[in-house]
């Protein structure tokens, strides 16, 4: 980070502007810092002036030229910027996708024979990774209800080595007590990995709140424009060194073009998140007043599961939330989504454009029931919205029209 003054005391948006812009990455030795953003360094081979330099290059340090697989200033600038906004991080590794980042974090801390404890509302591909790759490697996974205060304690065993957390949970958006879960993990010698894609470091200071590894899909808010795939994992010193070593063994590398796009997205992230959060909350409130809607699952909305944890621990939200239709059918829900005009139908989220996808959590839960015990069994089918940068009144009008058409 190249900003002047005590960056820890600066606001998030200010830090985002200066982060990663080291003068040596945005200029030449004669004119350091001469351009605002680091150029795209397309490089596999890094050339050395002589043999002594080639030998020195083997030091394997961050920010040292060596060979393209260890990146060049474009990727280093992005990693450096992400580290600058993650309190407590010694460094950040970049991966070709968010799923790769999750797999890499898990394979950094787990070995055959270990048991992984995973929240029941984990991102579906994270569950699939546990049932597939980890199981094949002899790593067992046990799922627990993140909202049950004794859930993690009861799932613990002699062989448990790590816990995979997510806040809020995927699709159903429950916000667990992350500091308490991380404290218990630490007490029992487990590594706590948090998928922090929803809030990101501006909305939830994952490492400062107790997580050992903070994972993000940069595909979502950091990219922010639905045109790149990338992931990251940040940690304090000892674990960061292990993440880095494992990533180098796998040979993970991200393209400099994508790193430059992600860095561009990062500069406006605070602004976009702020807008999305306000729009999402207005839309969530409006949906909560509609008779066709049984529940609105939006961490920022009072009454949503875990809202008190969000209000206590988070400094921001985003535009992603779900709602459940009252007594609806899967077909009626699909008709509702088809009737929307301003919402795209497609996976991912966190882009500038609004999206809608169907939510059917029932087949994805093994440690907690869906619909939950405190809701009517018929209130089962949901919709997940990713609120973009459109005018919220237009989005509300679109939702109203689609709900009316559902009859
Ligand atoms: C999208 C997503 C991921 C995976 O990210 P990709 O970049 O799509 O691989 C991981 N976790 C959560 C919570 C996500 O929504």
């Amino acid at each position: 980070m190249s900003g002047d003054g005590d960056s820890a005391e600066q606001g998030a948006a200010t830090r985002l502007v200066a982060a990663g812009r080291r003068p040596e990455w945005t200029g030449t030795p004669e004119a350091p810092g001469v351009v605002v953003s680091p150029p795209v360094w397309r490089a596999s081979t890094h050339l050395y002036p002589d043999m002594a330099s080639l030998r020195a290059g083997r030091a394997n340090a961050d920010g040292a030229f060596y060979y393209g697989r260890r990146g060049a200033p474009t990727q280093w600038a992005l990693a450096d910027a992400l580290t600058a906004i993650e309190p407590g991080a010694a460094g950040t590794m970049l991966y070709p996708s968010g799923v790769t980042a999750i797999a890499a974090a898990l394979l950094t801390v787990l070995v055959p024979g270990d048991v992984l404890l995973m929240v029941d509302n984990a991102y579906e591909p994270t569950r699939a990774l546990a049932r597939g790759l980890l199981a094949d490697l002899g790593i067992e996974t046990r799922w627990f209800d993140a909202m049950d205060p004794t859930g993690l304690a009861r799932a613990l065993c002699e062989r448990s080595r790590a816990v995979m957390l997510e806040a809020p949970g995927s699709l159903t958006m429950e916000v667990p007590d992350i500091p308490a879960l991380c404290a218990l993990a630490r007490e029992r010698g487990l590594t706590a990995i948090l998928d922090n894609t929803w809030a990101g470091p501006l909305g939830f200071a994952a490492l400062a709140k107790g997580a050992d590894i903070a994972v993000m899909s940069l595909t979502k808010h950091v990219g922010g424009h639905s045109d790149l795939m990338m992931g990251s994992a940040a940690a304090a010193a000892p674990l960061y060194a292990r993440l880095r070593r494992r990533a180098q063994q796998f040979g993970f590398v991200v393209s400099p073009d994508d790193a430059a796009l992600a860095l561009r997205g990062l500069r406006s992230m605070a602004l976009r998140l702020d807008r999305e959060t306000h729009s999402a909350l207005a839309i969530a409130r409006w949906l909560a007043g509609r008779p066709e809607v049984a529940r609105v699952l939006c961490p920022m909305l009072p009454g949503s599961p875990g809202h008190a944890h969000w209000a206590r621990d988070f400094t921001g939200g985003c535009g992603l939330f779900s709602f459940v239709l009252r007594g609806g059918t899967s077909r009626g829900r699909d008709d509702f989504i088809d009737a929307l005009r301003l919402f795209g139908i497609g996976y991912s989220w966190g882009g500038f454009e609004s999206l809608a996808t169907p939510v059917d959590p029932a087949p994805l839960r093994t440690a907690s029931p869906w619909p939950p015990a405190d809701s009517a069994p018929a209130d089962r089918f949901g919709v997940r919205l990713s609120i973009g940068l459109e005018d919220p009144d237009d989005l509300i009008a679109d939702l109203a029209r689609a709900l009316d058409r559902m009859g």
Side-chain angles (χ1 to χ4, degrees):
M1 167 130 193
S2 64
D4 292 328
D6 187 358
S7 59
E9 291 181 1
Q10 293 171 343
T14 307
R15 283 183 287 139
L16 277 182
V17 167
R21 287 170 51 201
R22 291 193 198 174
E24 67 268 32
W25 296 339
T26 53
T28 65
E30 299 73 39
V34 72
V35 295
V36 173
S37 293
V40 176
W41 289 64
R42 291 178 156 281
S44 53
T45 296
H46 297 178
L47 293 171
Y48 299 85
D50 50 36
M51 282 303 296
S53 311
L54 183 139
R55 295 228 152 79
R58 292 190 180 153
N60 196 357
D62 278 332
F65 285 99
Y66 169 72
Y67 174 58
R69 214 184 310 105
R70 289 186 194 163
T74 324
Q75 295 98 323
W76 301 337
L78 174 61
D80 200 49
L82 292 168
T83 302
I85 58 169
E86 183 71 64
T92 303
M93 290 312 297
L94 302 175
Y95 304 89
S97 71
V99 165
T100 317
I102 293 165
L106 291 168
L107 292 175
T108 295
V109 299
L110 295 166
V111 296
D114 286 347
V115 171
L116 168 68
L117 308 176
M118 184 181 290
V119 291
D120 200 34
N121 51 11
Y123 182 58
E124 205 268 328
T126 308
R127 282 185 86 98
L129 179 67
R131 281 197 311 265
L133 175 66
L134 297 187
D136 289 349
L137 292 174
I139 297 163
E140 184 192 331
T141 300
R142 296 183 188 173
W143 280 272
F144 67 96
D145 179 357
M147 301 305 282
D148 175 350
T150 65
L152 176 58
R154 285 188 288 114
L156 283 164
C157 69
E158 279 299 303
R159 291 185 294 128
S160 39
R161 168 102 57 169
V163 56
M164 183 74 220
L165 304 168
E166 213 177 299
S170 271
L171 307 181
T172 44
M173 312 303 292
E174 302 90 348
V175 184
D177 187 343
I178 292 291
L181 291 168
C182 290
L184 177 59
R186 181 150 304 183
E187 192 186 304
R188 302 295 287 263
L190 273 65
T191 303
I193 304 169
L194 174 69
D195 182 335
N196 196 32
T197 301
W198 185 84
L202 303 187
F204 186 72
L207 301 182
K209 296 283 183 190
D212 297 302
I213 301 178
V215 174
M216 256 200 300
S217 165
L218 307 182
T219 308
K220 314 292 166 53
H221 297 308
V222 173
H225 295 73
S226 306
D227 54 5
L228 70 92
M229 305 283 307
M230 207 181 289
S232 67
L239 254 177
Y240 171 63
R242 289 174 60 197
L243 282 171
R244 193 169 179 278
R245 209 175 308 125
R246 191 60 100 213
Q248 290 185 354
Q249 288 161 357
F250 274 113
F252 293 134
V253 63
V254 305
S255 89
D257 302 75
D258 286 346
L261 277 179
L263 205 45
R264 171 185 285 219
L266 193 67
R267 304 296 176 205
S268 62
M269 188 171 73
L271 200 62
R272 287 183 284 107
L273 283 174
D274 194 48
R275 163 80 175 204
E276 277 180 33
T277 303
H278 282 94
S279 296
L281 190 52
I283 294 166
R285 284 207 177 99
W286 178 84
L287 281 167
R290 288 287 301 211
E292 303 90 337
V293 174
R295 316 184 72 182
V296 180
L297 307 169
C298 174
M300 299 88 79
L301 188 72
S304 187
H307 169 74
H309 297 142
W310 178 83
R312 183 192 67 188
D313 298 332
F314 286 59
T315 49
C318 76
L320 186 80
F321 71 95
S322 302
F323 63 95
V324 181
L325 291 165
R326 189 182 301 284
T329 61
S330 165
R331 175 69 197 274
R333 184 265 318 278
D334 292 0
D335 289 345
F336 164 77
I337 294 177
D338 279 338
L340 294 167
R341 288 184 194 147
L342 293 180
F343 290 79
I345 303 172
Y347 294 113
S348 200
W349 48 277
F352 60 87
E353 82 294 8
S354 291
L355 296 173
T357 45
V359 170
D360 293 323
L364 303 174
R365 303 285 183 261
T366 48
S368 49
W370 184 265
D374 62 349
S375 104
D379 299 341
R380 156 166 191 195
F381 297 103
V383 178
R384 191 182 74 173
L385 300 178
S386 173
I387 302 301
L389 303 181
E390 302 90 341
D391 289 298
D393 289 347
D394 291 336
L395 296 175
I396 286 174
D398 197 32
L399 291 163
R401 212 180 28 77
L403 282 176
D404 289 341
R405 275 187 50 161
M406 243 183 23

